[in-house]
Amino acid sequence: MKSPFPLAVHSLTRFWWDAADYLASAAQKRLGLCPVAAKPFLPRAELEDLAGLVGFLEAILRRLFCLAALELGPLPRLNAKPQDPDKGAKHLSSSTISPAAEPASRRPRYRIPRFRLIEATKATPATPPRARFRTGPRIRFLDEETPVDLRDYPASPTDILPAGKLVRRLLAVNHALDHAAEYVARMRQIMASASPVLKRAVPPVFKTRKLRHLQQDSACQLHAATWDFLSPDTS
């Protein structure tokens, strides 16, 4: 089957697959995920830098999965009805066979987070949020236990912050890189339902992160190429 993409797009995607794998490995070492341990807390400056890197990887991977799905074409959703394991089980691939439910005592306590393929849209609250005023430390009562409010203190690059959420996001990125075929198939199913997958605007992380000019330009080209094939100009 002849690919609908020109050679330049293939070169672009090949470069970013390799770059994403390298950057994810670097972030994994910085978070101490080698092989199972993790740093539960990090200084604010290091945490923000790693969060920018992980956000960049997430945006890159969604566009790579989208291009791979566009190249293969949409895939109908699998039938949700349970299948008889005795009929045709040998002819099904391992990706379509759901394992039997394990007893609760044998289930793993920790499951690797799944990578989110659809870019989250900013939800508009039904009611306006409560007004918050930052006028310095508030009056506290000595006879009550009041939790510490971090808004009362200025942010410092050396503040120690929890990194659990960032660790889970990076684990999801590594899971997507290790199981790329599974995520491409899922993306093909999403496209078959005509659900929006990516945002039209260029991700801010492609512009704000400390990238070299050629890297920034290449990331923007990847975004543009994805949208060119998502919504081709037929005029």
Side-chain angles (χ1 to χ4, degrees):
M1 183 179 67
K2 185 178 180 181
S3 173
F5 298 157
L7 180 60
V9 175
H10 279 288
S11 300
L12 188 66
T13 56
R14 191 180 301 112
F15 166 78
W16 279 115
W17 275 119
D18 294 339
D21 186 65
Y22 171 78
L23 292 173
S25 299
Q28 187 172 346
K29 291 179 181 179
R30 291 177 63 182
L31 273 174
L33 292 171
C34 298
V36 290
K39 296 179 181 178
F41 297 93
L42 286 173
R44 182 187 298 273
E46 187 175 357
L47 184 69
E48 291 178 350
D49 184 52
L50 273 172
L53 173 58
V54 173
F56 178 78
L57 283 170
E58 290 170 342
I60 287 290
L61 280 180
R62 289 190 185 102
R63 280 143 186 83
L64 290 174
F65 287 137
C66 189
L67 282 172
L70 286 169
E71 185 177 13
L72 296 173
L75 186 68
R77 287 180 175 272
L78 295 176
N79 193 357
K81 294 181 181 179
Q83 297 180 354
D84 187 355
D86 297 331
K87 292 184 179 181
K90 295 181 180 180
H91 302 286
L92 297 176
S93 63
S94 59
S95 61
T96 60
I97 300 176
S98 57
E102 296 182 359
S105 59
R106 295 184 181 180
R107 292 176 187 171
R109 295 183 179 180
Y110 178 77
R111 294 186 178 182
I112 298 177
R114 304 283 293 183
F115 182 72
R116 188 175 65 246
L117 290 172
I118 300 177
E119 284 185 345
T121 56
K122 191 174 182 180
T124 305
T127 56
R130 238 168 75 180
R132 294 182 178 181
F133 303 96
R134 297 190 63 173
T135 57
R138 297 171 295 169
I139 298 175
R140 304 188 188 278
F141 297 95
L142 299 179
D143 58 345
E144 291 184 3
E145 292 185 3
T146 306
V148 177
D149 191 346
L150 295 179
R151 294 174 298 168
D152 295 342
Y153 304 93
S156 171
T158 58
D159 291 339
I160 302 300
L161 301 179
K165 184 178 180 180
L166 184 61
V167 169
R168 290 190 293 272
R169 289 171 61 191
L170 183 57
L171 286 174
V173 166
N174 282 316
H175 186 268
L177 287 168
D178 293 339
H179 303 82
E182 177 184 342
Y183 282 91
V184 170
R186 176 60 182 154
M187 181 68 82
R188 294 172 67 189
Q189 293 177 358
I190 295 173
M191 288 181 173
S193 63
S195 300
V197 179
L198 303 178
K199 294 181 180 179
R200 182 73 185 187
V202 178
V205 72
F206 284 0
K207 298 180 179 181
T208 59
R209 190 174 176 271
K210 296 180 180 179
L211 294 172
R212 296 180 180 179
H213 175 71
L214 291 178
Q215 293 171 330
Q216 186 180 37
D217 186 56
S218 179
C220 292
Q221 285 180 15
L222 181 68
H223 174 80
T226 306
W227 268 102
D228 285 344
F229 291 99
L230 268 176
S231 55
D233 186 8
T234 57
S235 58

